[in-house]
Amino acid sequence: MNNIKKFVLSAITVAIIMPSALACTSVMVGKDASENGSVIISRNEDFSSNNWAKHMKIYPAKAYKEGATITLSTGLNIPAPAKTLRYTAMIDWDGFSYKTPDNGKVYEQRGVNEMNVAMTATNSAEINKRALQADPHTDGIVEQNMVGIVLGQATSAKHAVQILADYIKLYGAGEGYGVQFADLDEAWYMEVGGGHQWIAVRVPDDKYLVIANGLRINGVDLDSKTVMHSEGLFDTVTQNKLLQKPDRHSFNFAKAFGNIGDFYNIDREWNSQKILSPSIKQKTRLKQYPLFLSPDDKISIEDIAQVLRADYKGTELETKGVRPSGVDRNSEAHIIEMYSDMPKELAAVIWQTPSNVKYSPFIPFYNVMKTVPAEYASGTDNYDDKSSWWNFRTLGTLASKSVLNGKYEEVVNETWRDLESQFTTSLPFVNNMLKTMYKQDANLAINFASDYSYGSLQTTLDKASQLKSALMTELTHSTEKKYDPEEFKKISNL
């Protein structure tokens, strides 16, 4: 076998066996801690390859025949609900006939349904050996399948936790992870340790939570109304000695099931909390950081974007920090706002990057959007000039340090920061206009919000295409030979 064939075979094998989201960074914000009173969840989604397009998708409500089943990627068949709710999602390009959410291979990274329940999944987490011996993983529920089966049914954030918990009770979990849920009033964060053990906590209204790729939940009261957990959780931990002295009223789920103190995770947690609560001085590389903190100032979309793009420059970890939040293998990022003071159809706003979080902007659109620009639903793992994901990914490559020492990096970053600033400044005015319009004509307001969303996505793509063309033209000029005056005169006369 020649070297080219070996390389292609190796690449195909890796693509088949490798999980989708290898590492993520997240921020959750209670409604009293956010700048505009919205409940917020957010996440970076990182992948094993720089070339893995994402598609935006709208799933309509669907009815299933009695006795119908849904086949998950693990081969597990689960009963289909009588009907599912409409929801939007961001999915992998290789969703395999993703016209339906029940094909088992979609990888829906985030979504919001028509009942204003939002979900993003997952923050992958490593589970320690002792915990896996006590409660092994199964061929049950994994990241690849969960968003659609939960959002298709959930009527609140807490209900979404229970739906996922019920599936885990029946079928087990195939991996460790953290999942975020939100509705118009509250946010819940859920962690899954072993095959059947899980815990969920309500984010306090005046606090925020940052998550990397380690389990985070610690210091919580298992008997509190703001905590949900698997049946027999405390007994499992006690009997298997997963904690030396387990305490029901200050329970450390992360230590019992995870691997705390991993620099890969805690460096990001420390840095994220430093950005949002700079007045709180914390040492670097503590085993665990506080689960919830109060921000120094109310948290804005710009603040969360800063966290999701952050590196360690200017901090104590500048020369030794492991795995910053913003990395080149990031494939997309999203911030979801849930407004309690907006009409129900217009209450969810999704801020989506079309590609890498460092080199593409957060674009706002309302969950009521009726259609997605075709370019945002195209692209594979090969370059595609028509794909929005690839247009922004190309800009990222042109802006990277590997091309002319990052000559274009500031041009691209300034373009998108200016556009993001326009979006964040104007959206409150758009919201106010929509509320007024809705009182007069609900359908008019809904249609306007849909058109605004479509237009925001399309306009941003147009800017990306124009910027890419300009930079490519400039790049080709950089390869031109520098002629002396006589030679230039000669060739000009040819």
Side-chain angles (χ1 to χ4, degrees):
M1 185 181 293
N2 62 39
N3 289 336
I4 294 177
K5 287 183 178 179
K6 287 181 178 178
F7 173 79
V8 172
L9 180 60
S10 175
I12 293 172
T13 302
V14 169
I16 292 173
I17 66 173
M18 193 162 287
S20 178
L22 292 185
C24 307
T25 306
S26 297
V27 183
M28 304 181 71
V29 184
K31 59 186 178 182
D32 295 336
S34 70
E35 186 178 63
N36 53 26
S38 64
V39 178
I40 303 174
I41 59 176
S42 66
R43 186 169 64 93
N44 276 352
E45 188 218 348
D46 303 332
F47 192 67
S48 56
S49 168
N50 287 354
N51 300 342
W52 201 257
K54 303 293 177 177
H55 294 185
M56 290 176 60
K57 179 68 179 175
I58 302 173
Y59 290 106
K62 180 178 179 179
Y64 285 89
K65 294 181 179 179
E66 185 176 354
T69 61
I70 296 173
T71 302
L72 305 185
S73 61
T74 57
L76 176 69
N77 284 310
I78 64 173
K83 60 180 181 179
T84 59
L85 300 165
R86 174 196 181 274
Y87 69 98
T88 60
M90 189 76 164
I91 71 173
D92 279 14
W93 70 268
D94 64 339
F96 300 101
S97 301
Y98 57 75
K99 291 182 180 179
T100 61
D102 53 0
N103 60 78
K105 298 182 179 180
V106 175
Y107 265 123
E108 297 154 318
Q109 284 80 44
R110 57 91 185 136
V112 184
N113 71 18
E114 63 183 277
M115 299 298 291
N116 286 315
V117 180
M119 176 180 179
T120 178
T122 67
N123 280 73
S124 303
E126 185 179 10
I127 308 304
N128 67 58
K129 292 181 180 179
R130 180 174 288 186
L132 286 177
Q133 288 173 351
D135 184 28
H137 286 150
T138 72
D139 292 330
I141 306 301
V142 294
E143 172 187 352
Q144 187 168 346
N145 310 126
M146 65 177 64
V147 172
I149 62 175
V150 172
L151 286 185
Q153 305 173 69
T155 56
S156 71
K158 191 173 182 179
H159 184 217
V161 173
Q162 192 61 60
I163 290 171
L164 183 54
D166 289 342
Y167 280 122
I168 292 171
K169 182 177 181 179
L170 284 171
Y171 309 113
E175 57 196 349
Y177 43 72
V179 187
Q180 304 172 57
F181 305 96
D183 56 33
L184 303 186
D185 189 57
E186 59 186 12
W188 283 80
Y189 175 60
M190 179 181 186
E191 289 186 339
V192 177
H196 301 85
Q197 302 304 320
W198 61 271
I199 191 169
V201 292
R202 185 187 187 278
V203 179
D205 292 341
D206 61 344
K207 300 288 193 297
Y208 70 88
L209 164 64
V210 296
I211 309 146
N213 290 104
L215 298 181
R216 289 279 285 124
I217 297 178
N218 68 92
V220 299
D221 186 347
L222 293 182
D223 299 324
S224 169
K225 292 181 179 180
T226 59
V227 177
M228 301 169 65
H229 58 83
S230 51
E231 184 179 353
L233 172 61
F234 188 78
D235 291 340
T236 297
V237 170
T238 302
Q239 292 167 8
N240 291 279
K241 299 180 180 179
L242 301 185
L243 293 173
Q244 287 185 350
K245 295 181 180 180
D247 183 346
R248 286 191 65 87
H249 305 297
S250 184
F251 190 72
N252 197 332
F253 184 88
K255 188 174 182 180
F257 291 91
N259 291 299
I260 63 173
D262 187 342
F263 295 167
Y264 188 83
N265 302 320
I266 59 174
D267 283 357
R268 278 179 283 160
E269 292 165 9
W270 173 84
N271 197 36
S272 299
Q273 291 186 342
K274 180 180 176 64
I275 291 171
L276 298 176
S277 303
S279 65
I280 300 175
K281 307 303 179 183
Q282 301 184 104
K283 292 182 179 180
T284 60
R285 297 187 166 173
L286 299 176
K287 286 287 186 180
Q288 286 182 299
Y289 286 94
L291 183 61
F292 303 118
L293 281 181
S294 297
D296 281 13
D297 299 300
K298 296 294 181 74
I299 296 174
S300 66
I301 293 297
E302 297 96 326
D303 295 329
I304 297 176
Q306 181 185 355
V307 170
L308 298 183
R309 293 185 175 117
D311 54 30
Y312 298 113
K313 291 179 181 178
T315 74
E316 295 94 310
L317 292 177
E318 181 168 358
T319 59
K320 62 179 182 180
V322 177
R323 174 45 172 92
S325 298
V327 291
D328 282 342
R329 68 176 181 272
N330 169 261
S331 54
E332 59 90 19
H334 47 268
I335 304 169
I336 304 175
E337 293 185 295
M338 309 297 288
Y339 292 92
S340 62
D341 62 342
M342 290 289 290
K344 62 180 182 178
E345 296 93 339
L346 309 174
V349 175
I350 303 165
W351 297 77
Q352 180 71 58
T353 67
S355 183
N356 184 283
V357 70
K358 293 174 63 180
Y359 300 121
S360 59
F362 282 97
I363 309 169
F365 59 92
Y366 292 87
N367 194 53
V368 75
M369 186 171 62
K370 296 179 180 179
T371 58
V372 173
E375 298 89 342
Y376 284 84
S378 66
T380 67
D381 55 346
N382 290 306
Y383 177 79
D384 181 351
D385 189 61
K386 295 181 179 180
S387 163
S388 66
W389 191 92
W390 274 105
N391 271 275
F392 287 93
R393 180 63 215 169
T394 303
L395 279 175
T397 300
L398 292 173
S400 68
K401 297 295 184 184
S402 61
V403 178
L404 296 181
N405 295 317
K407 176 181 177 181
Y408 306 136
E409 181 175 16
E410 187 55 36
V411 174
V412 172
N413 286 344
E414 185 177 350
T415 298
W416 298 140
R417 298 305 87 80
D418 286 348
L419 183 63
E420 275 185 7
S421 179
Q422 293 177 32
F423 282 139
T424 56
T425 301
S426 63
L427 192 68
F429 295 99
V430 177
N431 281 345
N432 286 333
M433 179 188 66
L434 286 172
K435 284 191 283 189
T436 300
M437 190 183 299
Y438 188 91
K439 292 177 182 178
Q440 301 296 321
D441 189 330
N443 287 331
L444 180 63
I446 291 169
N447 290 334
F448 184 94
S450 178
D451 292 343
Y452 168 87
S453 302
Y454 190 100
S456 295
L457 292 166
Q458 193 64 59
T459 299
T460 307
L461 176 59
D462 291 344
K463 286 182 178 291
S465 298
Q466 294 165 9
L467 182 57
K468 184 185 72 172
S469 296
L471 294 189
M472 286 297 293
T473 301
E474 177 65 21
L475 182 61
T476 59
H477 284 322
S478 69
T479 66
E480 291 179 355
K481 178 181 177 181
K482 304 300 180 185
Y483 299 104
D484 61 46
E486 286 299 316
E487 188 176 7
F488 182 77
K489 182 177 180 181
K490 182 181 294 186
I491 64 173
S492 296
N493 293 327
L494 291 178

